[in-house]
Amino acid sequence: HTCTMTNVLGEFKTTASINSLGVRGKEFSLEKPKDGKRILVIGDSMTFGWGVSDSQTYSFLLADALHKKGKQVEVINGGYIGGLSVDSYYVYLKKHGLALKPDILILGFTVFNDITDVAGNIWKKIDKEGLPEQIESCCHIVDGHIFRNKIISFKYRYPTIRESHLFLLLIDTLQKKFNLFPDGALLAPRGETLLGCALNPDCIHLFYPEEEKAYKVLREIKRLTEERHIQFLVVLFPVDLQMYPDASAKYERYGMKWYPKKGEEDFIQKRITGVLNQNGIPVLDLYPTFASAKDKGYPFFPIDAHFNPIGTRMVADAISQYMIEKKLVQ
């Protein structure tokens, strides 16, 4: 299957291939290759490669970089789109990812939202350890082929009368004058009120509950991978406004009020790295990579803010170099 990814402002229009297992890229056998290592990468739309072609995703480029260095590897892209977070990656890993029997697991962690987006997830089922077995979004649903709010405005709920301009005008008038029909679809969920919060040290007290959930899940992924002799690596992705302060202008239209503090732009990377190191979880922080190269080509789509082909290449090269230096691949 293929899907088309289009930015309405024209930054990109490209396609993504989805194989029979529901992951991006070409078909592969469930049985591992006899020679070499199988690498599974999991994460959000940054890992999936929103806006770039199949051959420009960092998973594809990672495999290519390692092949060129004579390393026998297979890289599977288990990333997906939807503003999801580490608890969702964990559920995917337990239900599907571990069945692929990877030798190495890479978790792409987007520091901008992978903590605070936990607030948007409901753990419908949990195990005896309090870990999620089933997750639903608090506020969004796939309705047919449309990704929409779970709450539908009152004036649009009834198929026949919602076509009447008079009816819509009446509801709007009653709402403005008497607040009779408040629009629940316009209420911001907690995750949206925390937009940018994880980037600022003054906001710690607000995102602390989500942060603790994220660490709990990461500790369990470490346990699962150790149990199966899988090498586990967390890769921290920076966000554009950490290196390019002018990028903050596009976030203001979403009502974002939390931004990195000058001199502490990588506060959250240092915080996450410290906690994960204490828990024996290897971390590759890509902030220094992107910060040192900020005059060598813009690595994000300027409006959309996902990695563009420059950015995915930087991610792939940094991970490839790390894996070779740490002798994770032979």
Side-chain angles (χ1 to χ4, degrees):
H1 302 283
T2 60
C3 67
T4 301
M5 299 175 288
T6 304
N7 179 273
V8 294
L9 297 175
E11 280 195 305
F12 54 77
K13 183 177 182 180
T14 188
T15 59
S17 302
I18 310 296
N19 69 21
S20 59
L21 293 174
V23 301
R24 185 165 187 183
K26 64 182 182 180
E27 297 290 341
F28 60 87
S29 171
L30 283 174
E31 186 177 346
K32 284 201 308 185
K34 292 182 180 178
D35 300 318
K37 301 273 189 179
R38 170 172 281 181
I39 302 169
L40 172 64
V41 293
I42 58 177
D44 63 7
S45 52
M46 301 294 262
T47 292
F48 178 85
W50 179 252
V52 299
S53 66
D54 292 345
S55 61
Q56 293 172 327
T57 63
Y58 79 77
S59 56
F60 183 97
L61 295 170
L62 173 62
D64 186 58
L66 291 173
H67 290 160
K68 287 178 178 176
K69 290 180 170 65
K71 309 302 180 183
Q72 297 298 310
V73 298
E74 176 188 49
V75 182
I76 298 170
N77 185 344
Y80 50 97
I81 301 166
L84 300 163
S85 48
V86 287
D87 50 350
S88 299
Y89 313 155
Y90 163 74
V91 172
Y92 166 78
L93 179 68
K94 280 201 74 176
K95 290 188 174 182
H96 305 287
L98 292 175
L100 300 175
K101 298 182 179 178
D103 300 293
I104 300 169
L105 175 70
I106 296 173
L107 189 150
F109 192 111
T110 305
V111 299
F112 178 65
N113 65 311
D114 269 5
I115 290 176
T116 53
D117 272 0
V118 172
N121 291 337
I122 300 169
W123 293 9
K124 295 290 288 186
K125 290 183 180 179
I126 58 174
D127 63 18
K128 62 182 181 180
E129 304 298 328
L131 289 154
E133 294 184 331
Q134 180 183 341
I135 290 175
E136 287 185 7
S137 169
C138 68
C139 314
H140 300 103
I141 191 171
V142 177
D143 186 4
H145 297 288
I146 300 172
F147 183 69
R148 66 163 180 82
N149 285 346
K150 278 186 175 179
I151 301 172
I152 301 176
S153 300
F154 175 79
K155 60 186 178 182
Y156 298 126
R157 288 179 194 171
Y158 306 102
T160 303
I161 57 176
R162 70 186 179 198
E163 304 300 326
S164 167
H165 293 290
L166 181 61
F167 172 72
L168 298 180
L169 177 61
L170 175 63
I171 296 300
D172 286 341
T173 302
L174 291 173
Q175 165 58 16
K176 288 177 183 177
K177 288 192 172 184
F178 306 108
N179 197 30
L180 290 180
F181 301 100
D183 195 344
L186 298 179
L187 296 176
R190 175 171 162 76
E192 290 183 17
T193 64
L194 293 175
L195 198 63
C197 186
L199 304 178
N200 192 305
D202 296 337
C203 200
I204 293 172
H205 64 291
L206 294 180
F207 70 78
Y208 183 78
E210 288 75 24
E211 186 181 28
E212 287 302 297
K213 276 189 170 183
Y215 295 148
K216 181 173 184 174
V217 165
L218 289 169
R219 286 193 293 267
E220 179 61 10
I221 293 177
K222 175 180 181 284
R223 188 191 70 78
L224 290 172
T225 52
E226 282 185 342
E227 196 174 71
R228 293 161 175 78
H229 307 289
I230 299 169
Q231 297 279 349
F232 178 36
L233 172 66
V234 175
V235 179
L236 303 182
F237 299 148
V239 65
D240 53 3
L241 54 80
Q242 288 183 295
M243 285 78 61
Y244 309 95
D246 290 347
S248 62
K250 68 171 170 276
Y251 294 95
E252 290 171 3
R253 67 176 180 265
Y254 299 114
M256 194 169 109
K257 57 185 179 181
W258 298 100
Y259 295 90
K261 295 182 75 170
K262 190 172 182 179
E264 297 183 73
E265 288 83 1
D266 61 341
F267 146 76
I268 189 61
Q269 281 94 338
K270 289 177 179 176
R271 183 175 175 86
I272 294 170
T273 298
V275 173
L276 296 191
N277 283 344
Q278 288 176 5
N279 285 273
I281 299 173
V283 183
L284 173 59
D285 175 13
L286 295 187
Y287 176 84
T289 299
F290 279 74
S292 64
K294 68 178 182 179
D295 298 321
K296 300 177 182 177
Y298 199 77
F300 303 90
F301 289 113
I303 300 171
D304 178 84
H306 283 82
F307 293 133
N308 65 17
I310 295 173
T312 56
R313 170 65 67 181
M314 290 172 63
V315 172
D317 288 347
I319 297 175
S320 169
Q321 182 179 347
Y322 177 92
M323 296 181 77
I324 290 170
E325 288 177 353
K326 298 295 184 180
K327 298 181 179 180
L328 298 182
V329 289
Q330 302 298 325

